[in-house]
Amino acid sequence: MALSTTASQSDVSVHSTFASRYVRASLPRFKIPEQSIPKDAAYQIINDELMLDGNPRLNLASFVTTWMEPECDKLIMAAINKNYVDMDEYPVTTELQAKSETAVGVGTVGSSEAIMLAGLAFKRRWQNRRKQEGKPIDSPNIVTGANVQVCWEKFARYFEVELKEVKLRDGYYVMDPEKAVEMVDENTICVAAILGSTLNGEFEDVKCLNDLLLAKNEETGWNTPIHVDAASGGFIAPFLYPDLEWDFRLPLVKSINVSGHKYGLVYAGIGWVIWRSKEDLPDELIFHINYLGADQPTFTLNFSKGSSQVIAQYYQLIRLGYEGYKMVMENCTDNMVVLKEGLEKTGRFDIVSKDVGVPLVAFTLKDRNHFDEFQISDMLRRYGWIVPAYTMPPDAQHVTVLRVVIREDFSRTLAERLVIDVTKVLHELDSLPARVINSGNVSVTDADNGTKVVVKKSEIETQREITSVWKKFVMERKKMNGVC
C-alpha cells in the first residue's frame, strides 16, 4: 500500500530556499512587506539581485579601492558595529586616527565632505577679515579650473559662493595658473588646485600658482590663499615624486584634502582635510559636545560614522609603511605604461593623460567617422570591463575620451587582457556599416532635368534604418556564436 502526504506552505521538512514559496512570490519594491520571510530566503533573494551588478575589480571608472587583504577585511567586520563618534566609549579607535603630533585636521567620509569643510573655513576667514576692514561680505568667490570634481560645484551652490572657472583648451586639460590668478579679486576666498585631475590624472602646477599668487598678493595687498585638492594625488606624490612642491612647503597652501579610500588603499568611506595651522581654522566653526561622556570638539557635516575605515587605514599604514606604498604606486605606474603602450600599438588612439600624475590612461580615437568612444565603452561591457567615456568640460567639450584608472589590484595580466579586448571591440565595430554623417538626408534625382534634390528623412525613418542595421549585425553575431 503506497503512503502519501500533502505538503503545505508551513512544511519545513524541505530546507532548500529554492524549493520554498518565497522565491515564487514577487516582493514589494516600494513599500515594506506585510509578512516576514526567513533569513535565508531574504539573503538569497538579495544576493541573486546583486549578481547583476558589475564586478568591482573590473570597474575601471572608479578611483576608489576595490580590494583589501583578508586580514584587513576581518578587522573591518569586527569593528562594523562601532560608531566612531562615540570617542569616549571607543578610546583606542579614537587614538588610531589621532596619532599625529602637529596636524590640525579632521577625518571625513571622503574628499567631498573635506572640501565642504575647507571651503567653509576659507569663507569664514574671508568674512572675518572683511568685517574688520569694514567691507561688504555678500559676494565671495572661489577660483578653480573647469576640470574640478562636482563637489566643488556643490560647495559653491550650497554655501552661496560664486564659482569662477578657468576654461580648458585643446591639449591643456587642467587649470592654467596664469589665467587663474588673473581671475582673482578682493572677494576671492581661495584658489583651488587639483593634484590629480579626474579627467586625465594630471597634476596641476601648484608651485607656479603659488609664485604667481604671491606676486599678486604683494601688488594688491590681498592675502588670497590656496587649497590643494589632493583626493587622488595625496597618496601618490609623496612616494613617487617626493621633490614635487605642492603641499605646505608652499606658503600660500593653507589646507589640503585627501581620500584614504582612493590611493590610501581603503574601501570607500574615509578622507581628511588638514590645515597648515590652528589660525587657518576659525574657532567659531568648531562645536563642543559632552553628552557622549566627555568634552568632544567636532567639525563635520555629519555626525555618526563607522569606525571600520579608520581601523582599515591604520592597518594599511603600519602594514605597508613607506616602502610598501612606494612599491604599490610604482606597480600601478608600470601597469599604466603597459596599457598605454598597448593602446598606442593599435594605431587607433591618441593618449591625453600624462606620465606624471595619477596612474591612469585617458585616450581618444584618432578617427571618429565610423564609430565613437561611447560605442567602445558600451561594447567593452560585453567582456566585463567598465570603462567610462565622457566629454571634456568647456572649452574642450568637443573632445571625448575613454579613461582607465589603474588601481592596486589591476595587474599587468589584466592590462594585457584589456588591450586584447579593446582590439576585439575595434574589429567588431569596424565590421559595422559606417555612420552616415547626414543620415537624415537622402538624395533623389529629378527625372525631368536630372538634377539631385535632397529630401530630409523623418526621425522615425532614420531610427528604423539604424535599428535594421543593428538587428542584422546582432543576428550575424548569433549565427557565429551558436552553442550546441
Side-chain angles (χ1 to χ4, degrees), residues 139-143 155-157 159-165 185 187 189:
S139 56
N141 68 68
I142 188 169
V143 176
F155 165 75
R157 188 177 302 177
F159 297 103
E160 298 181 323
V161 176
E162 179 191 1
L163 185 66
K164 299 170 74 172
E165 291 185 332
D185 59 33
N187 294 316
I189 64 173

Side-chain angles (χ1 to χ4, degrees), residues 3 25 138 141 147 153 159 252 255 287 307 353 382 411:
L3 299 176
D138 58 343
N141 68 68
N147 57 310
E153 299 178 43
F159 297 103
L252 289 183
S255 55
F287 292 83
S307 295
S353 50
R382 301 183 185 184
S411 64

Side-chain angles (χ1 to χ4, degrees), residues 51-70:
M51 288 193 303
L52 299 174
D53 271 345
N55 184 339
R57 294 278 305 278
L58 299 181
N59 178 10
L60 306 183
S62 179
F63 292 83
V64 176
T65 297
T66 55
W67 178 87
M68 296 188 75
E69 291 176 324

Side-chain angles (χ1 to χ4, degrees), residues 436-443 454-459 461-463 465-466:
V436 180
I437 297 175
N438 293 316
S439 58
N441 298 332
V442 61
S443 296
V454 177
V455 180
K456 185 174 178 62
K457 292 183 183 179
S458 68
E459 185 176 340
E461 288 174 329
T462 302
Q463 187 61 47
E465 182 179 342
I466 295 171

Side-chain angles (χ1 to χ4, degrees), residues 461-472:
E461 288 174 329
T462 302
Q463 187 61 47
R464 284 172 178 167
E465 182 179 342
I466 295 171
T467 303
S468 176
V469 170
W470 272 100
K471 280 184 177 179
K472 182 178 179 182

Side-chain angles (χ1 to χ4, degrees), residues 269-422:
I270 187 167
W272 308 270
V273 56
I274 303 170
W275 286 270
R276 173 185 287 274
S277 66
K278 290 183 179 179
E279 290 72 30
D280 297 307
L281 176 57
D283 287 335
E284 61 263 37
L285 294 178
I286 302 172
F287 292 83
H288 292 265
I289 60 171
N290 61 11
Y291 49 78
L292 293 176
D295 180 68
Q296 181 179 319
T298 176
F299 177 40
T300 57
L301 294 182
N302 67 316
F303 196 61
S304 295
K305 73 172 182 176
S307 295
S308 296
Q309 270 66 18
V310 174
I311 293 169
Q313 186 68 74
Y314 185 64
Y315 171 90
Q316 291 290 50
L317 291 172
I318 66 170
R319 161 81 173 99
L320 294 173
Y322 185 93
E323 175 191 33
Y325 269 102
K326 189 173 189 294
M327 291 175 64
V328 169
M329 301 310 156
E330 287 175 343
N331 286 345
C332 289
T333 302
D334 290 344
N335 292 328
M336 174 194 73
V337 173
V338 170
L339 178 60
K340 174 188 170 185
E341 292 177 348
L343 293 170
E344 286 177 326
K345 285 179 181 178
T346 67
R348 308 290 289 272
F349 300 107
D350 288 321
I351 307 298
V352 299
S353 50
K354 305 295 182 181
D355 292 335
V356 175
V358 178
L360 61 80
V361 182
F363 51 105
T364 184
L365 280 168
K366 291 182 177 180
D367 181 4
R368 302 178 72 249
N369 289 323
H370 191 55
F371 50 85
D372 60 25
E373 291 82 359
F374 292 101
Q375 289 169 282
I376 294 175
S377 173
D378 183 57
M379 293 191 72
L380 279 172
R381 283 181 175 263
R382 301 183 185 184
Y383 297 91
W385 303 106
I386 302 173
V387 177
Y390 52 88
T391 56
M392 290 289 195
D395 285 332
Q397 60 266 48
H398 57 283
V399 179
T400 306
V401 300
L402 294 149
R403 188 195 67 211
V404 174
V405 178
I406 310 299
R407 298 190 302 271
E408 175 191 18
D409 55 340
F410 188 80
S411 64
R412 177 171 183 145
T413 301
L414 286 177
E416 293 171 342
R417 180 76 250 175
L418 178 57
V419 172
I420 291 171
D421 290 342
V422 168

